[in-house]
Amino acid sequence: MNSTLSLLQLWHMCIRSQADSQDADQGLTEQVLQWETLRKVMGGLSMVRCEALRSSSVDEILHRHFGPFEGDRPLFYVNFTLFWRGMEAILQTAGVFNSEGLDTSVQQTVTSLRRFRDLVLSELPGELGGGMGDGHSSECSVRQLRLLYDRLRRGAVAEGVSSATVAEYWAERLDTLP
């Protein structure tokens, strides 16, 4: 199965599992993954897997791919962009990432969504792109989203006819913004 699809399924399973938990914070369970939930998921790795990931423990893997951030602050939550990037990096390091199984236009859109994810993680202010240290969510302005969407749309247009579907995707996202 395609790794991106598998990661989406894993995200939803994790979110559902913490929504069922009595300890889940109201309102955040649909937006972020609690650090302890991620730790439990990763805790099932054998030492052989940890060694394949060039790490001696699950905690080392988590800190390498998900945080801590700013001044070694611990993370309490991981948003989807950070989860997606971290889990893909783990799969790639382990040599098991699979990008097969999607038709060309869907694969191009997923590639563009990865660019969006990476832009969010690297360019947006505050903790929006990374894990939320204390559980308070950061917000992104419509203007910031518009600029990112438009940059991705223009990039797809510049790439040519094969990226027409991607350009249309970002144009549609732009049209949905107020």
Side-chain angles (χ1 to χ4, degrees), residues 57-70:
S57 70
V58 169
D59 285 330
E60 187 178 329
I61 293 166
L62 289 172
H63 287 280
R64 177 178 296 141
H65 296 287
F66 300 99
F69 289 88
E70 297 181 27

Side-chain angles (χ1 to χ4, degrees), residues 25 34 68 71 87 124 133 139 147:
D25 288 338
Q34 295 173 6
M87 293 302 286
L124 291 183
E139 293 183 6
L147 291 170

Side-chain angles (χ1 to χ4, degrees), residues 41 47 90 113 122 140 154:
V41 167
M47 276 311 294
I90 288 169
L113 285 167
S122 66
C140 173
R154 284 184 285 118

Side-chain angles (χ1 to χ4, degrees), residues 8-39:
L8 280 170
Q9 290 175 346
L10 179 60
W11 171 263
H12 288 292
M13 287 189 319
C14 291
I15 294 297
R16 276 194 304 273
S17 76
Q18 68 187 28
D20 295 339
S21 165
Q22 292 178 351
D23 298 329
D25 288 338
Q26 296 300 324
L28 285 176
T29 57
E30 292 181 24
Q31 303 167 22
V32 295
L33 187 60
Q34 295 173 6
W35 183 257
E36 282 306 309
T37 303
L38 181 59
R39 193 172 188 294

Side-chain angles (χ1 to χ4, degrees), residues 69-70 73 79 81 116-133 136-148 151:
F69 289 88
E70 297 181 27
R73 228 178 27 181
N79 66 25
T81 55
F116 175 74
R117 171 200 71 198
D118 294 342
L119 288 170
V120 165
L121 289 169
S122 66
E123 295 184 12
L124 291 183
E127 298 173 330
L128 228 175
M132 292 175 268
H136 297 290
S137 67
S138 299
E139 293 183 6
C140 173
S141 72
V142 172
R143 181 177 184 279
Q144 289 169 313
L145 276 179
R146 186 175 302 285
L147 291 170
L148 288 176
R151 186 185 325 171

